[in-house]
Amino acid sequence: MKAIIQRVSKASVTINNKKVADIKNGLLVLLGIVNEDTSDDISWLSKKICNLRIFNDDQGVMNTSIINNKGDIIIVSQFTLHASTKKGNRPSYIKAAKPDIAIPLYEAFIKQVETDLNKKVQTGQFGADMKVELLNDGPVTIIIDSKNKE
């Protein structure tokens, strides 16, 4: 499971000209899933994201998490995170999990983040053509791959 986490001042997701997610202070999480991902990846990645100390404390030092900050999260599925660009100029997405595997893992990840965060998160829609807008705060962008946890 691979995630790109961006600290945002605001972010939104629009599908078919309808805004389906909209937050102010928080995180935008782009999530890519592969066939080998398991519930262990979900649990580990959720805890890592929710506890990342990437928000400023009272002294202006990145020392607090989204939990302490009481910010919001948008989670968006993005199979292109697992693109292979080794050959040619057209990316291959063969590593990305197909929907029958990815959707249940994506939904389980959302539930796990809600549990770890102790609040509802907003999402995009799996497989939809989405327009994602964000104002990256910092900028702060972190890439985490659950396969590199050890």
Side-chain angles (χ1 to χ4, degrees):
M1 208 165 262
K2 189 180 289 187
I4 296 180
I5 299 105
Q6 297 181 81
R7 185 178 78 179
V8 297
S9 298
K10 64 180 179 176
S12 65
V13 178
T14 302
I15 301 171
N16 295 327
N17 296 318
K18 181 181 178 206
K19 199 171 276 192
V20 298
D22 190 20
I23 64 170
K24 298 295 181 214
N25 179 42
L27 298 174
L28 172 65
V29 177
L30 305 175
L31 183 71
I33 298 168
V34 294
N35 290 329
E36 299 77 25
D37 288 328
T38 67
S39 60
D40 288 341
D41 294 290
I42 290 168
S43 178
W44 182 85
L45 186 58
S46 174
K47 284 179 182 24
K48 182 62 83 173
I49 291 169
C50 290
N51 290 291
L52 271 178
R53 295 176 3 189
I54 58 173
F55 290 90
N56 293 345
D57 62 16
D58 293 338
Q59 286 73 44
V61 177
M62 284 197 294
N63 202 28
T64 63
S65 70
I66 188 78
I67 294 170
N68 305 121
N69 187 308
K70 301 191 184 335
D72 294 311
I73 295 181
I74 296 177
I75 300 172
V76 175
S77 64
Q78 189 168 353
F79 73 93
T80 61
L81 294 181
H82 291 288
S84 174
T85 57
K86 287 183 180 180
K87 292 183 179 180
N89 293 318
R90 183 173 185 209
S92 168
Y93 304 107
I94 198 155
K95 292 182 182 178
K98 301 285 186 255
D100 60 321
I101 292 172
I103 291 172
L105 291 170
Y106 172 68
E107 291 172 351
F109 180 77
I110 292 165
K111 286 185 171 93
Q112 185 64 56
V113 171
E114 289 177 337
T115 297
D116 291 342
L117 192 60
N118 198 29
K119 72 188 296 188
K120 188 112 173 95
V121 300
Q122 296 184 48
T123 67
Q125 179 183 334
F126 190 94
D129 180 19
M130 296 175 269
K131 307 302 180 214
V132 179
E133 288 187 78
L134 69 128
L135 181 57
N136 193 313
D137 181 20
V140 175
T141 302
I142 310 284
I143 301 170
I144 302 175
D145 190 331
S146 66
K147 302 306 183 236
N148 297 332
K149 64 185 165 201
E150 295 180 22

